[in-house]
Amino acid sequence: MTEPLFASASPVFTVGDALVRELARDCVRLEISEDVQGLRTLRGHFTAVGGQATGPPGPLLYLDGDRVDFGRRLRVSVGAQGAQRYVFDGVVSAIEAELGDGEPPIVVLHAEDALMRLRMTRRMRTYRDMTDADIVRELADAHGLKADATAAGPRYDVVQQLNQSDLAFLRERARLIQAELWCTGDELHLSARAGREATSLTLVHGDHLLSVRLCADLAHQRNAVVVTGYDAAREAVIHEEAGPDAVEAEVTGGRTGPRLVARALGESVSYRVREAALTSEEAAAWARAEMLRRARRFVTVAGTTRGSPDMIVGSRLTLRRVGVPFEGPGYYVTRVTHAFDNVHGLRTRFEAERATLNEVS
């Protein structure tokens, strides 16, 4: 079977339950972004003249609340015919008008996914005898969302939310146990990295992978992470330590940052002083999470593809023709931006990370 020489990758817009073809016609630039902290955002630029909309001093498109308006559900799919994927599902949160000198008027739409509700709610609250997954379920229910919270973690006697937005608070809880937070439609997720289902892609530099920058950096690597505290119930000092074995349980072969930093630069220990653990279980979980956070970012990648609608945060990548130390599988996507314009068509910019560097002879 032959492939077409040209395939349109223009985005398709659905507002509410209606397909709005005019948005695809008038779209001159579109960016849809997400990362491991959650909150997917959209920014679209649309020509605001055409048809009966002649521009100032006459009417402009998309400013009359007819096709799009605040709070309207907006879904977007991208990709060539037969390979389109939904890359955004959220609501319109801001509308701009750009009137330049000698340029056609532009209307800019901003939208965010369901995590916007959590971003806009700030509170002070105490949670008792709960895990982080329990807290996610309670807050999801408060915002009318379903919850899929599977991340394991300690049970806390008391957790306090002190003048934080619900989103900032849940991001902090996720960081402490190295879990990831995101929304799909009206479902709020909290999951360990291993439990996040996503696509697997192979990218070859010089083919679908247009450009890429790869870096292995020891600056933030540590061969041990220590968390301390005091257990009042047991009247005992808490001292928990996580080492290279925490990340080595996730990988097969290769050189890890914690091992290399000790060999190349000597012993390097991180003492966590901002979090005061109240039980050994808390301290052990936090130490392991911090070791994973650092070690997973030993090798980082930033690249651009010809357009990869299947790529999402959590996608597993295999990179080819990128140099022996960086070659192969094991990359985890941490940030994705799907970008469309009338010059380059669809492009996907991504960031990814891997805990290992290949052995070189």
Side-chain angles (χ1 to χ4, degrees):
M1 179 181 292
T2 58
E3 295 183 355
L5 294 176
F6 173 78
S8 173
S10 297
V12 177
F13 297 87
T14 303
V15 180
D17 295 321
L19 180 67
V20 182
R21 292 181 174 85
E22 295 92 332
L23 287 171
R25 178 197 66 194
D26 297 330
C27 181
V28 294
R29 189 160 71 251
L30 176 71
E31 286 195 350
I32 296 168
S33 300
E34 63 169 326
D35 62 19
V36 290
Q37 294 192 77
L39 189 63
R40 190 175 303 188
T41 61
L42 174 148
R43 182 177 62 189
H45 296 243
F46 303 89
T47 302
V49 293
Q52 300 302 312
T54 57
L60 291 175
L61 294 174
Y62 310 120
L63 294 181
D64 57 3
D66 180 23
R67 296 175 180 83
V68 292
D69 202 359
F70 295 103
R72 291 269 184 92
R73 184 179 183 184
L74 178 64
R75 293 190 296 163
V76 182
S77 63
V78 298
Q81 186 175 1
Q84 288 186 326
R85 299 289 184 271
Y86 278 106
V87 293
F88 183 81
D89 185 352
V91 297
V92 176
S93 57
I95 301 174
E96 298 180 49
E98 295 183 356
L99 309 178
D101 182 8
E103 298 177 350
I106 296 292
V107 166
V108 184
L109 300 180
H110 298 259
E112 301 173 69
D113 70 12
L115 283 178
M116 178 177 66
R117 307 180 201 174
L118 281 71
R119 178 179 65 78
M120 298 180 68
T121 304
R122 183 179 294 269
R123 68 179 91 218
M124 299 186 67
R125 192 170 185 176
T126 299
Y127 305 86
R128 298 183 183 278
D129 190 30
M130 301 178 77
T131 65
D132 292 305
D134 293 333
I135 293 172
V136 167
R137 295 186 192 101
E138 184 165 314
L139 284 176
D141 184 66
H143 289 278
L145 301 173
K146 295 179 288 185
D148 176 27
T150 60
R155 179 170 293 276
Y156 306 98
D157 290 338
V158 176
V159 174
Q160 290 185 307
Q161 180 179 353
L162 299 174
N163 193 28
Q164 291 175 290
S165 72
D166 288 345
L167 179 57
F169 174 65
L170 289 186
R171 283 173 169 174
E172 178 182 303
R173 304 313 307 169
R175 176 186 63 81
L176 284 171
I177 59 173
Q178 199 55 22
E180 294 178 4
L181 182 76
W182 76 99
C183 257
T184 52
D186 292 326
E187 187 167 28
L188 179 62
H189 302 266
L190 181 76
S191 172
R193 179 167 294 191
R196 186 168 188 169
E197 295 183 2
T199 54
S200 297
L201 297 87
T202 297
L203 302 177
V204 182
H205 181 237
D207 186 7
H208 195 67
L209 181 58
L210 298 176
S211 64
V212 64
R213 178 186 58 80
L214 306 102
C215 177
D217 189 356
L218 292 176
H220 299 287
Q221 295 301 302
R222 301 292 184 268
N223 65 286
V225 173
V226 175
V227 175
T228 60
Y230 185 76
D231 189 330
R234 296 173 51 222
E235 297 184 348
V237 172
I238 297 169
H239 182 101
E240 295 291 341
E241 181 175 322
D245 56 312
V247 71
E248 288 168 356
E250 297 185 341
V251 302
T252 55
R255 297 175 290 170
T256 65
R259 297 291 185 191
L260 275 175
V261 73
R263 187 184 314 159
L265 304 177
E267 293 293 311
S268 181
V269 180
S270 175
Y271 292 90
R272 304 297 297 169
V273 296
R274 293 180 60 185
E275 296 91 24
L278 302 180
T279 67
S280 293
E281 184 187 11
E282 290 178 13
W286 296 352
R288 178 180 177 276
E290 176 62 11
M291 173 56 76
L292 288 176
R293 185 189 70 82
R294 289 176 177 271
R296 286 169 172 171
R297 289 195 58 77
F298 173 40
V299 179
T300 55
V301 179
T304 301
T305 76
R306 295 183 186 276
S308 303
D310 287 335
M311 188 184 298
I312 61 174
V313 170
S315 289
R316 276 71 172 179
L317 303 183
T318 297
L319 302 183
R320 301 296 185 197
R321 298 182 187 171
V322 293
V324 173
F326 303 103
E327 193 83 3
Y331 290 95
Y332 186 91
V333 175
T334 57
R335 179 183 292 272
V336 175
T337 298
H338 297 290
F340 172 85
D341 62 45
N342 289 333
V343 177
H344 299 100
L346 181 64
R347 292 287 187 266
T348 298
R349 302 191 299 271
F350 69 92
E351 296 177 10
E353 60 189 31
R354 190 173 77 170
T356 60
L357 196 65
N358 296 339
E359 298 284 355
V360 292
S361 56

